[in-house]
Amino acid sequence: MRSPVRDLAQKDGEESTDRTPLLPGAPQAEAAPVCCSARYNLAILAFFGFFIVYALRVNLSVALVDMVDSNTTLEDNRTSKACPEHSSPIKVHHNQTGKKYQWDAETQGWILGSFFYGYIITQIPGGYVASKIGGKLLLGFGILGTAVLTLFTPIAADLGVGPLIVLRALEGLGEGVTFPAMHAMWSSWAPPLERSKLLSISYAGAQLGTVISLPLSGIICYYMNWTYVFYFFGAVGIFWFLLWIWLVSDTPQTHNRISHYEKEYILSSLKNQNGLLSSLPYLGSWLCMILSGQAADNLRAKWNFSTLCVRRIFSLIGMIGPAVFLVAAGFIGCDYSLAVAFLTISTTLGGFCSSGFSINHLDIAPSYAGILLGITNTFATIPGMVGPVIAKSLTPENTVGEWQTVFCIAAVINIFGAIFFTLFGKGEVQSWALNDHHGHRH
């Protein structure tokens, strides 16, 4: 007896498009083993690469607390009348050998936001360059450049606010190319029925990088001083670059250690699909990304769900779910434990998007996935730039009611995005994207 859910998914209009070989009767390639495979080695190295990308991005958020003279920021802090028991500053005795700077709250905001002014610039160029020269060197040198610049953070801070802001903006330039470059590489490496798993593994490193680097940065500041935060993560980034250059290739054809069977499997699976490839903060989200990737591929491979149906389902869960719990977090009063739980659930559910709209670029235009990711990620960077400013203006007194407004606005934006994608999203390669790039068109 056939599942009615399966029948419903198959009526989505394109279930046969991404599962039918290019030529009638063409045999489907048998999947190459996963263990020790070149494609999964690439996913693991990419995982650690994006782990470092986000570690280098967020470590300043923790170190900055230790860099600033506490007497400077004390005047900027307001005492909350809604939850006074949580308002008293907590003094923690720890290593104080790091140099302190007289930076007020506004200056700190400029320093933290400066990264995104560089990050937004290289999104689109990064996608274009990756499509021309490949993603290996672009992603590798993007992370290497950010890591090396991170080592010079203490020197830049000593020179003044201006040099530090410039340094962080330059780091943003390096990291801006990473996602477009990785998308471009997966257009040559990801077999159609493994794309959700592979991309979810690689991009999940970003979430775990945030989870690990934030507390680790705090520990380093506590037992050593803030300068070692930048020395540690910068050195780790350089070490990763050496492994990346040694072990990774842009395509299966140029990989020195890939088995002949795996290479043929990847190339034949891409050819048989006429180019229909698809090519993403925190521990809960990381786990959700891994599990959702497995679930998405199983729905398509075993239950015959269409690509578009899977993308819609995971996008709706990954956008409306977080919106619901985000709004709920604003209406629970001073129950901080429940607030943390709701925000954790909200972020966790967001991981479903990694198998939804986040990899839809490769569904609709695999040959231009890098460029499209650059364009979309450029717009996605804007909230990181203007969000803190807007939130600050909406919460002048830092009250619960003011933060309810902020959470509701964020939720409305999420729901709008989910509805928009559901109405206008596509799951098949578009006619304007058909060309001979990477053998996507026979």
Side-chain angles (χ1 to χ4, degrees):
M1 180 177 178
R2 299 182 64 185
S3 167
V5 178
R6 182 186 301 184
D7 291 339
L8 178 62
Q10 288 181 331
K11 294 177 182 179
D12 216 6
E14 44 96 35
E15 71 279 1
S16 61
T17 308
D18 69 340
R19 299 185 55 81
T20 304
L22 180 64
L23 299 176
Q28 292 282 352
E30 184 178 349
V34 170
C35 182
C36 300
S37 64
R39 64 192 187 280
Y40 277 88
N41 287 341
L42 172 61
I44 293 171
L45 277 171
F47 170 91
F48 286 108
F50 285 102
F51 178 100
I52 294 168
V53 162
Y54 270 70
L56 294 173
R57 180 184 302 190
V58 305
N59 56 15
L60 180 63
S61 301
V62 177
L64 190 62
V65 176
D66 216 35
M67 296 169 69
V68 176
D69 188 348
S70 59
N71 294 326
T72 304
T73 57
L74 193 59
E75 298 177 357
D76 295 327
N77 295 330
R78 296 178 179 269
T79 300
S80 173
K81 297 179 181 179
C83 304
E85 68 275 16
H86 299 284
S87 302
S88 301
I90 300 175
K91 294 184 178 180
V92 180
H93 299 284
H94 63 286
N95 192 299
Q96 295 289 340
T97 59
K99 187 173 181 180
K100 303 293 183 179
Y101 302 97
Q102 304 295 320
W103 295 336
D104 58 21
E106 183 179 358
T107 300
Q108 295 174 52
W110 280 105
I111 293 173
L112 291 173
S114 59
F115 173 91
F116 294 99
Y117 290 94
Y119 187 77
I120 195 172
I121 294 175
T122 51
Q123 294 286 315
I124 297 176
Y128 177 78
V129 174
S131 68
K132 296 298 181 182
I133 69 171
K136 173 186 174 179
L137 293 179
L138 187 63
L139 189 149
F141 280 103
I143 297 179
L144 175 66
T146 305
V148 171
L149 289 170
T150 297
L151 295 174
F152 289 95
T153 302
I155 297 177
D158 228 20
L159 293 175
V161 174
L164 181 57
I165 289 176
V166 171
L167 181 78
R168 289 290 292 177
L170 291 175
E171 291 182 23
L173 288 175
E175 288 201 7
V177 304
T178 53
F179 280 98
M182 194 70 247
H183 256 52
M185 290 191 69
W186 282 127
S187 70
S188 296
W189 275 98
L193 294 181
E194 295 182 10
R195 56 196 179 205
S196 296
K197 289 192 285 284
L198 289 169
L199 271 78
S200 295
I201 292 172
S202 59
Y203 291 143
Q207 321 305 320
L208 191 62
T210 303
V211 171
I212 299 297
S213 63
L214 290 177
L216 181 57
S217 297
I219 293 172
I220 294 174
C221 288
Y222 185 89
Y223 288 104
M224 304 173 75
N225 66 57
W226 61 264
T227 61
Y228 290 94
V229 171
F230 304 106
Y231 296 149
F232 174 78
F233 287 109
V236 171
I238 294 174
F239 176 73
W240 172 88
F241 170 78
L242 297 176
L243 293 178
W244 178 261
I245 292 297
W246 179 37
L247 298 173
V248 168
S249 296
D250 277 309
T251 65
Q253 296 96 317
T254 59
H255 198 286
N256 294 327
R257 290 168 296 277
I258 190 174
S259 69
H260 177 75
Y261 181 74
E262 183 183 8
K263 177 165 53 174
E264 289 302 313
Y265 162 63
I266 295 174
L267 296 179
S268 62
S269 64
L270 298 183
K271 180 179 179 181
N272 286 343
Q273 290 293 320
N274 194 21
L276 283 179
L277 294 172
S278 62
S279 49
L280 240 214
Y282 323 120
L283 181 60
S285 181
W286 170 66
L287 293 173
C288 186
M289 289 176 72
I290 298 295
L291 296 176
S292 65
Q294 301 287 332
D297 282 341
N298 283 333
L299 286 175
R300 296 178 60 237
K302 297 181 179 180
W303 291 85
N304 292 328
F305 275 57
S306 67
T307 299
L308 181 58
C309 180
V310 171
R311 300 297 177 241
R312 283 173 171 171
I313 292 173
F314 281 78
S315 294
L316 286 170
I317 297 174
M319 299 185 77
I320 294 181
V324 171
F325 282 95
L326 188 62
V327 171
F331 290 87
I332 58 174
C334 296
D335 190 338
Y336 278 33
S337 297
L338 190 57
V340 171
F342 279 4
L343 292 176
T344 299
I345 295 172
S346 176
T347 304
T348 298
L349 292 176
F352 279 94
C353 290
S354 66
S355 295
F357 70 85
S358 294
I359 58 174
N360 192 233
H361 311 81
L362 273 172
D363 291 325
I364 64 173
S367 298
Y368 303 101
I371 298 175
L372 291 177
L373 193 279
I375 295 173
T376 56
N377 219 25
T378 296
F379 287 98
T381 303
I382 295 176
M385 298 168 57
V386 303
V389 178
I390 296 175
K392 181 69 175 178
S393 65
L394 292 175
T395 57
E397 300 298 328
N398 205 29
T399 65
V400 172
E402 290 171 346
W403 280 105
Q404 288 173 352
T405 301
V406 173
F407 288 165
C408 287
I409 292 174
V412 168
I413 294 174
N414 246 30
I415 294 173
F416 172 79
I419 295 174
F420 191 90
F421 181 82
T422 300
L423 293 177
F424 300 104
K426 301 293 182 182
E428 68 276 9
V429 165
Q430 303 299 291
S431 59
W432 51 266
L434 293 175
N435 60 29
D436 292 324
H437 181 62
H438 294 321
H440 291 308
R441 187 177 187 181
H442 185 65

